[in-house]
């Protein structure tokens, strides 16, 4: 498989037959840095399951975990709106799905880190660049929040964080 890149995607497939008389259903999940899509079993409000196609933004994933489906172990993805998709019969184990998700998440954080550094160090926060910003305070708040998150996730070390934060604060002082 090799190293993942932001433009890559990974697809996992399988097949599952529910019950003795059920028909075999194609099960799949495709993960990229932008979207998560595929076909799996969605839990309904009445506690039953239906086979469903799904497509979500990558950022909507809440958790990838192991679960039980039809009294058998399987993978499950939980999305922000409490939508749970089950993947019985998938050809990979839950840790492989989690690892793929985490690799894409790390790539996105690295890209965001580079974007923030380029924004701050590249001159957007200078007297000349100031006039180009539509809503300065909103951009400022988002930039500070991203800096904090990148430091928390370990993509910016404490020294880099302090330098970038100081440069940002100097502009608004």
């Amino acid at each position: 498989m090799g190293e993942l890149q932001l433009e890559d995607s990974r697809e996992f497939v399988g097949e599952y037959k529910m019950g003795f008389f059920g028909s075999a259903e194609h099960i799949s999940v495709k993960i990229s840095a932008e979207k998560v899509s595929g076909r799996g079993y969605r839990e309904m409000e009445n506690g039953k399951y239906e086979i469903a196609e799904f497509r979500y933004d990558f950022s909507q994933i809440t958790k990838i975990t192991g679960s039980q489906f039809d009294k058998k172990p399987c993978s499950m993805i939980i999305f922000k709106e409490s939508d749970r998709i089950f993947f019985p019969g998938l050809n990979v184990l839950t840790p492989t799905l989690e690892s793929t998700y985490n690799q894409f998440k790390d790539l996105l954080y690295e890209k965001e880190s580079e974007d923030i550094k380029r924004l701050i160090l590249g001159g957007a926060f200078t007297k000349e660049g100031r006039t180009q910003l539509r809503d300065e305070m909103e951009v400022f708040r988002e930039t500070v929040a991203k800096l904090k998150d990148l430091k928390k996730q370990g993509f910016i070390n404490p020294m880099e964080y302090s330098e970038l934060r100081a440069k940002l604060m100097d502009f608004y002082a």
Side-chain angles (χ1 to χ4, degrees):
M1 270 196 192
E3 274 297 304
L4 277 178
Q5 303 294 318
L6 272 175
E7 60 277 356
D8 291 344
S9 66
R10 294 289 185 261
E11 185 169 18
F12 306 100
V13 297
E15 194 173 272
Y16 187 75
K17 181 178 176 181
M18 190 179 335
F20 188 70
F21 296 107
S23 61
E25 295 287 355
H26 176 72
I27 304 296
S28 66
V29 61
K30 183 176 183 179
I31 302 175
S32 75
E34 294 178 5
K35 299 284 181 197
V36 179
S37 60
R39 182 177 167 93
Y41 284 92
R42 176 176 278 132
E43 187 174 25
M44 304 301 292
E45 290 179 18
N46 61 6
K48 297 190 183 226
Y49 300 91
E50 71 174 0
I51 192 76
E53 306 269 336
F54 66 92
R55 183 178 173 93
Y56 289 96
D57 287 336
F58 182 85
S59 62
Q60 291 179 295
I61 293 176
T62 300
K63 187 177 186 180
I64 296 178
T65 186
S67 187
Q68 292 272 320
F69 185 84
D70 201 20
K71 298 181 183 173
K72 296 177 184 105
C74 74
S75 299
M76 174 180 67
I77 300 178
I78 303 171
F79 295 95
K80 280 186 180 174
E81 54 212 32
S82 301
D83 197 3
R84 299 175 350 152
I85 308 289
F86 295 83
F87 301 98
L90 205 57
N91 65 352
V92 294
L93 300 174
T94 302
T96 303
L97 286 179
E98 288 176 304
S99 172
T100 302
Y101 166 71
N102 288 330
Q103 287 176 44
F104 276 120
K105 189 166 71 170
D106 288 348
L107 286 171
L108 288 169
Y109 273 119
E110 287 172 14
K111 181 185 180 306
E112 195 170 72
S113 170
E114 292 304 314
D115 290 347
I116 290 291
K117 288 178 188 177
R118 201 170 16 262
L119 177 69
I120 294 172
L121 301 175
F125 292 98
T126 62
K127 295 294 180 201
E128 299 79 34
R130 185 178 196 171
T131 59
Q132 297 173 5
L133 298 175
R134 289 182 309 187
D135 183 2
E136 293 175 32
M137 288 311 293
E138 186 61 32
V139 171
F140 175 76
R141 282 188 210 105
E142 287 175 11
T143 304
V144 170
K146 285 179 183 178
L147 268 177
K148 287 180 181 177
D149 190 38
L150 291 168
K151 179 184 169 204
K152 179 181 171 187
Q153 297 294 331
F155 289 97
I156 294 178
N157 66 42
M159 184 175 276
E160 280 181 304
Y161 173 79
S162 296
E163 290 171 8
L164 292 170
R165 185 175 170 266
K167 186 161 178 78
L168 191 59
M169 296 302 174
D170 283 348
F171 175 70
Y172 281 96

